[in-house]
Amino acid sequence: MTVKKYDGSAGGWGALLSTTKHLVKSENVARNMRNLLKTNQDKGFDCPGCAWGEAEERGRISFCENGAKAVNWEATSRRVTPAFLRQHPVSWLAQQSDYFLEYQGRLSHPVRYNRNTDCYEAISWQQAFALIARHLKALEHPNQAEFYTSGRASNEDAFLYQLFVRKFGTNNFPDCSNMCHEASGIGLRQSIGIGKGTVTLEDFDHADAIFVFGQNPGTNHPRMLDTLRHASRRGAAIVTFNTLKERGLERFTNPQSPGEMLTGVATQISQSYFTPKLGGDMAVVRGMVKALCAVDKIEREAGRASIFDPAFIDEHTRGVEAYLSAVEATPWEAITEQAGLSRAEIEQAADTYRQANNVIITWAMGITQHKHSVNTIQEIANLQLLFGQLGKPGAGLCPVRGHSNVQGDRTMGINEKPGADFLDKISEVFGFQPPLEHGHNTVGAIKAMLAGESKVFIGLGGNFAAATPDTSLTQQALSNCLLTVNIATKLNRTHLIPGQESLILPCLGRTDVDMQATGPQSVTVEDSFSMVHASAGVVESDTAEMRSEPAIIAGIAEATLGKAPVDWSWLIEDYDRIRVLIAEVIPGFTGVNEKIKQPGGFYLGNSAAERRWQTPSEKAQFMRHPLPQHLLPANLRELSQDPVFVLQTMRSHDQYNTTIYGFEDRYRGISGERKVLLINASDITALGMNNNDLVDVESLWPDGIERKIYGFKLVAYDIPPGNIAAYFPETNPLVAIDGKGDLSDTPTSKAIPIILMPSARKGDEINIVCS
Ligand SMILES: Nc1nc2c(c(=O)[nH]1)N[C@H]1C(S)=C(S)[C@@H](COP(=O)(O)OP(=O)(O)OC[C@H]3O[C@@H](n4cnc5c(=O)[nH]c(N)nc54)[C@H](O)[C@@H]3O)O[C@H]1N2
Ligand SMILES: Nc1nc2c(c(=O)[nH]1)N[C@H]1C(S)=C(S)[C@@H](COP(=O)(O)OP(=O)(O)OC[C@H]3O[C@@H](n4cnc5c(=O)[nH]c(N)nc54)[C@H](O)[C@@H]3O)O[C@H]1N2
Ligand SMILES: [Mo]
């Protein structure tokens, strides 16, 4: 392993070289190059990499290094065939790394686990569907099955899936969103009446300031860097709050700009870069508002206008007095202690905010995966409401979504707590009463399977066993099931934790041509900006025994329910027919089959962006919450005499969630190793340890269960004292199942209380170039 200071900008030659390296490594260079060039073009497929939107001006930047990796990873010609699976028993595969498993290629045939041979063996699609139907129909109650969704599923997949599951009789829809932006949905719905962001991509061209909280776009939303670069160049202030100094947020060279590549010109992205403590962002925003209140007071006392937007507050909001009194009651000492920033730093950020006419605030997992995430998001909304920074050009709230269609899946009804309007529509259009009782989210599903209450698990994509918290409990939960079914493109950890019976069903991916009775089909997806557009695969390869996700869902549904409430196989012949049904149920989709023909797709609309507030009071609501008492609750701190650290678990530059592409975290300068803990040098010294020492890590939770991982390397890093950063999914065994966000139930995977101990194992020689 090496740790090396990365001195370049993000993007640039490093990104281009890495893209090319990934392409050349694969077996089909020419084809992959061609694919890449079609990504996010009008007639190509939607990049499966992330949910950032497309610029109007196509080709301005239509792919990025990490999008290229995602495409290339899927479009491989390697295959996991029944012959491969016969040679490699599940117990052997389970010993291999996540990287190894997915590297074997695309799953080629439906397979069923045989307990006697410990191998997956070929089965026909018909037999697979019949087996699922038999298990589902044998359950005492539909609530005994769990239907997981990962956010790559298209709108068409998601709509059919929820229709089937609701007709079957349950709202058990655990999904990846429960681990991701759930808090954004819940927080924003209460504050502004809609659980989505309010801005469009164009708004970034009109913002004077963009505040970026808890997000690493250089790796996870590289096309966002291009947007930020444009904004920065025209003089917009970009202010970043991130526990780590992420290179992409510091400076960026666009790998698709020949000029910049030749001259090596990099654009400075962030005008100010603040490194708060993990979980300190609510205090940061509270402090900004406190600072702004002080300025406002001075202005008004001098007889000048308020710096807030009183007309907006008056016309559009409720609760401002109560909120401002909570701000007043919060002492500066509490704010600075929790934020980990000085009052002067917070005042500086507040001043930049005030200078701007139009402000956008963006955030991602650094905000949503904490205990007090909903409150933090509502605090962010409060700040924007004070200044009327909502529903005007260049301003608004922007939770940057993760998976490329995670937002669309929610729009389509993948929701364990569906709204009454949605259920009424389903009942009206399809003539059956969908279940009203709330179903299980991800944590609820794990608990139900663990308790033996849920007996069937079906995963529409994703990697449930690796992505969820408390790995060993989750794996136990899956193996308790009578049947586990995974609809997937690639072999992963979850497939190696079979229930009593188990199936893997190989599906087409975004890049593949999806040929049905009436010809090649396209699907639709929704990005972070409520834009819906079509996606059609272009790769024609050996996919004979794979099926599209809509076809697989239809097969399961028809075997289980017959032709009710719809003729499933008829729908699959032409996906326009699915979209006609979507349009009958989901607002904004009227005429979808025409609208997706327009280049760039169509805008679903957003009530808050139009200053319509779908809250009980019909106004935007200032939400008033105290700061958390302590970032690390006393009952957790008291569980150990040793120094207790707070661990955030995050992505390296070379992974897609649980998919590990390689071992290069380029912008952080870490290479060849994933079992690392980024820690402040002073903490290493205080522990009496040395840089590069190997440690074991134990997390603290008052339930008597030991959660421990072994042999992680200490790496001195620029991170606040007391905070540590490491990669997921290796660290998921540390996330206690009950360590979850208030209201959101999102695992608090950015705030895990841990202690460190010297590892029994000795460290190998490593080459540290810098600290
Ligand atoms: N290439 C690639 N692209 C992806 C993904 C991927 O794995 N690979 N995953 C997709 C998905 S599903 C998602 S949800 C997104 C995730 O996108 P991100 O949210 O960018 O993902 P993380 O790696 O979890 O990064 C969290 C960032 O927040 C910072 N942070 C952590 N805790 C705190 C905190 O308490 N306060 C502040 N201010 N900062 C904090 C971390 O230092 C890190 O920079 O990306 C999507 N796009
Ligand atoms: N500790 C910790 N845990 C986390 C997070 C964290 O930051 N820290 N982040 C959380 C977040 S934000 C998320 S979104 C979840 C992600 O959780 P998941 O969505 O469950 O996980 P992924 O790793 O994205 O799923 C990868 C698998 O999806 C399958 N796949 C890929 N493409 C397709 C396709 O087109 N169709 C189908 N059917 N299958 C496909 C492949 O088999 C691949 O192995 O993880 C969460 N877990
Ligand atoms: Mo996510």
Side-chain angles (χ1 to χ4, degrees):
M1 168 201 157
T2 60
V3 180
K4 221 179 200 157
K5 189 157 185 188
Y6 183 81
D7 281 325
S9 57
W13 287 109
L16 196 65
L17 272 176
S18 168
T19 307
T20 322
K21 214 159 64 185
H22 271 265
L23 291 170
V24 173
K25 213 162 67 179
S26 88
E27 272 118 83
N28 209 334
V29 182
R31 194 186 70 194
N32 286 319
M33 271 297 184
R34 213 169 52 232
N35 290 342
L36 210 54
L37 297 174
K38 287 191 177 173
T39 312
N40 295 338
Q41 302 296 307
D42 285 340
K43 294 214 166 45
F45 53 85
D46 180 65
C47 179
C50 75
W52 193 250
E54 310 310 329
E56 282 277 302
E57 188 191 319
R58 291 280 162 148
R60 189 167 96 184
I61 184 163
S62 56
F63 71 89
C64 68
E65 175 196 0
N66 278 350
K69 284 187 210 164
V71 168
N72 194 47
W73 195 249
E74 179 175 296
T76 173
S77 48
R78 293 171 67 97
R79 292 288 181 267
V80 169
T81 60
F84 172 91
L85 292 167
R86 225 179 9 253
Q87 283 157 16
H88 298 96
V90 164
S91 50
W92 183 85
L93 289 168
Q95 304 299 316
Q96 311 310 310
S97 69
D98 294 316
Y99 172 77
F100 174 91
L101 295 177
E102 288 214 22
Y103 186 71
Q104 302 315 309
R106 292 282 297 277
L107 292 153
S108 71
H109 285 69
V111 287
R112 174 187 192 172
Y113 182 60
N114 180 339
R115 220 156 254 291
N116 298 323
T117 58
D118 188 33
C119 288
Y120 276 100
E121 296 169 1
I123 180 177
S124 75
W125 281 101
Q126 226 43 44
Q127 286 169 317
F129 294 149
L131 180 72
I132 299 170
R134 182 158 57 72
H135 273 277
L136 288 177
K137 288 199 268 196
L139 295 174
E140 286 152 30
H141 194 281
N143 287 345
Q144 292 180 318
E146 303 292 346
F147 297 88
Y148 180 66
T149 313
S150 169
R152 221 175 253 194
S154 69
N155 290 336
E156 289 72 7
D157 304 343
F159 187 80
L160 286 187
Y161 193 54
Q162 66 79 30
L163 183 62
F164 156 59
V165 172
R166 293 206 159 94
K167 174 68 181 165
F168 174 66
T170 182
N171 282 315
N172 281 349
F173 286 110
D175 81 321
C176 71
S177 189
N178 298 143
M179 298 177 272
C180 188
H181 265 295
E182 189 72 55
S184 305
I186 292 173
L188 293 180
R189 209 164 297 118
Q190 290 181 340
S191 291
I192 59 167
I194 184 168
K196 304 182 184 186
T198 66
V199 301
T200 62
L201 197 50
E202 214 195 322
D203 283 318
F204 284 85
D205 291 336
H206 303 288
D208 305 306
I210 301 166
F211 283 70
V212 180
F213 280 90
Q215 201 194 337
N216 182 20
T219 288
N220 298 315
H221 305 91
R223 285 177 296 124
M224 177 176 176
L225 281 190
D226 184 50
T227 305
L228 293 180
R229 185 185 63 121
H230 272 263
S232 165
R233 287 201 157 176
R234 58 171 182 77
I238 293 167
V239 180
T240 293
F241 293 90
N242 195 307
T243 315
L244 300 177
K245 280 275 178 70
E246 303 286 23
R247 179 44 48 96
L249 287 162
E250 295 186 301
R251 49 188 195 273
F252 175 61
T253 301
N254 181 358
Q256 292 193 33
S257 155
E260 285 188 18
M261 293 296 284
L262 285 175
T263 54
V265 172
T267 304
Q268 181 188 339
I269 300 287
S270 300
Q271 169 185 309
S272 331
Y273 200 121
F274 301 104
T275 52
K277 283 202 279 209
L278 290 171
D281 303 270
M282 181 175 176
V284 169
V285 180
R286 174 72 44 107
M288 285 172 64
V289 174
K290 200 172 172 73
L292 292 162
C293 283
V295 176
D296 184 61
K297 190 156 173 260
I298 294 168
E299 291 295 302
R300 282 187 298 110
E301 278 172 3
R304 289 188 289 268
S306 167
I307 64 166
F308 300 141
D309 185 341
F312 177 88
I313 294 172
D314 198 44
E315 187 184 343
H316 291 290
T317 72
R318 286 279 180 279
V320 70
E321 295 84 7
Y323 169 63
L324 289 180
S325 67
V327 174
E328 196 174 349
T330 315
W332 269 110
E333 304 77 66
I335 290 171
T336 51
E337 142 67 21
Q338 219 162 84
L341 299 178
S342 68
R343 181 167 167 176
E345 287 174 303
I346 295 173
E347 284 171 344
Q348 185 198 332
D351 193 50
T352 307
Y353 186 98
R354 184 166 88 86
Q355 304 290 331
N357 287 322
N358 302 316
V359 182
I360 293 175
I361 302 184
T362 79
W363 68 91
M365 298 302 101
I367 294 299
T368 63
Q369 295 176 335
H370 288 282
K371 182 161 167 28
H372 54 293
S373 292
V374 169
N375 292 1
T376 303
I377 288 156
Q378 294 185 334
E379 192 76 11
I380 291 173
N382 289 344
L383 169 60
Q384 293 289 74
L385 290 176
L386 276 175
F387 286 84
Q389 293 289 1
L390 260 185
K392 63 173 188 175
L397 294 160
C398 180
V400 182
R401 305 299 304 241
H403 264 300
S404 53
N405 196 42
V406 62
Q407 183 156 318
D409 291 345
R410 267 293 150 87
T411 304
M412 291 298 121
I414 301 297
N415 190 343
E416 77 281 1
K417 299 189 195 84
D421 289 358
F422 175 80
L423 293 178
D424 288 349
K425 262 292 181 208
I426 292 280
S427 151
E428 184 190 315
V429 174
F430 296 103
F432 73 94
Q433 177 56 54
L436 302 173
E437 187 193 350
H438 288 174
H440 293 143
N441 59 14
T442 294
V443 168
I446 296 169
K447 289 193 164 177
M449 292 188 285
L450 208 51
E453 288 155 15
S454 286
K455 298 169 196 293
V456 172
F457 171 89
I458 299 185
L460 179 60
N463 188 355
F464 194 82
T468 55
D470 234 337
T471 312
S472 64
L473 285 190
T474 298
Q475 299 196 346
Q476 182 60 46
L478 284 168
S479 50
N480 278 356
C481 287
L482 298 179
L483 174 71
T484 54
V485 180
N486 284 287
I487 301 165
T489 50
K490 293 267 187 105
L491 191 62
N492 69 38
R493 193 67 46 204
T494 307
H495 312 160
L496 307 178
I497 325 283
Q500 265 182 40
E501 297 207 75
S502 190
L503 293 169
I504 310 176
L505 304 180
C507 64
L508 299 177
R510 276 286 160 76
T511 54
D512 298 310
V513 172
D514 179 357
M515 191 57 79
Q516 302 295 342
T518 57
Q521 304 296 316
S522 59
V523 293
T524 57
V525 294
E526 178 184 343
D527 66 22
S528 289
F529 307 106
S530 307
M531 291 295 300
V532 177
H533 57 263
S535 168
V538 295
V539 182
E540 286 188 69
S541 60
D542 175 19
T543 54
E545 277 298 315
M546 299 177 197
R547 291 205 180 169
S548 76
E549 289 173 296
I552 295 171
I553 296 159
I556 297 174
E558 199 145 307
T560 311
L561 305 171
K563 290 191 186 305
V566 289
D567 183 341
W568 302 95
S569 343
W570 179 79
L571 286 179
I572 297 311
E573 290 173 5
D574 180 350
Y575 295 178
D576 278 2
R577 295 169 188 168
I578 306 175
R579 286 186 283 271
V580 167
L581 296 180
I582 292 177
E584 285 188 54
V585 176
I586 314 285
F589 277 80
T590 314
V592 53
N593 285 321
E594 281 310 307
K595 287 199 275 193
I596 53 174
K597 289 183 188 142
Q598 332 165 159
F602 66 96
Y603 178 53
L604 269 184
N606 182 296
S607 50
E610 295 160 20
R611 298 193 168 178
R612 284 189 295 111
W613 318 104
Q614 297 176 330
T615 60
S617 65
E618 298 186 2
K619 300 284 177 190
Q621 196 68 41
F622 281 93
M623 301 298 291
R624 170 203 176 141
H625 306 288
L627 291 185
Q629 278 248 306
H630 299 283
L631 286 181
L632 204 54
N635 68 326
L636 298 181
R637 267 181 299 144
E638 285 159 8
L639 290 172
S640 174
Q641 304 297 315
D642 297 324
V644 181
F645 295 91
V646 181
L647 169 72
Q648 68 143 319
T649 59
M650 60 187 186
R651 293 146 176 85
S652 97
H653 193 64
D654 229 1
Q655 75 183 84
Y656 195 91
N657 299 337
T658 66
T659 293
I660 311 303
Y661 302 124
F663 298 83
E664 285 276 330
D665 196 5
R666 191 171 65 251
Y667 300 143
R668 299 196 186 107
I670 292 167
S671 170
E673 174 66 81
R674 288 180 51 87
K675 287 175 73 177
V676 293
L677 299 179
L678 311 187
I679 178 172
N680 192 286
S682 67
D683 285 332
I684 300 184
T685 312
L687 285 168
M689 296 191 192
N690 294 306
N691 198 18
N692 307 330
D693 276 0
L694 283 190
V695 294
D696 298 338
V697 187
E698 185 175 347
S699 65
L700 304 174
W701 198 259
D703 61 2
I705 300 178
E706 187 185 72
R707 297 179 176 85
K708 217 165 159 182
I709 52 179
Y710 301 89
F712 280 63
K713 194 164 286 175
L714 294 178
V715 174
Y717 205 82
D718 186 0
I719 182 171
N723 286 177
I724 292 181
Y727 304 127
F728 100 96
E730 288 84 345
T731 43
N732 285 42
L734 298 175
V735 188
I737 185 91
D738 290 317
K740 50 192 184 153
D742 298 333
L743 295 180
S744 68
D745 266 9
T746 298
T748 49
S749 39
K750 298 284 191 276
I752 309 166
I754 55 164
I755 54 172
L756 306 179
M757 58 213 78
S759 181
R761 287 163 38 185
K762 278 264 160 286
D764 36 71
E765 278 305 301
I766 66 161
N767 166 21
I768 294 285
V769 180
C770 81
S771 61

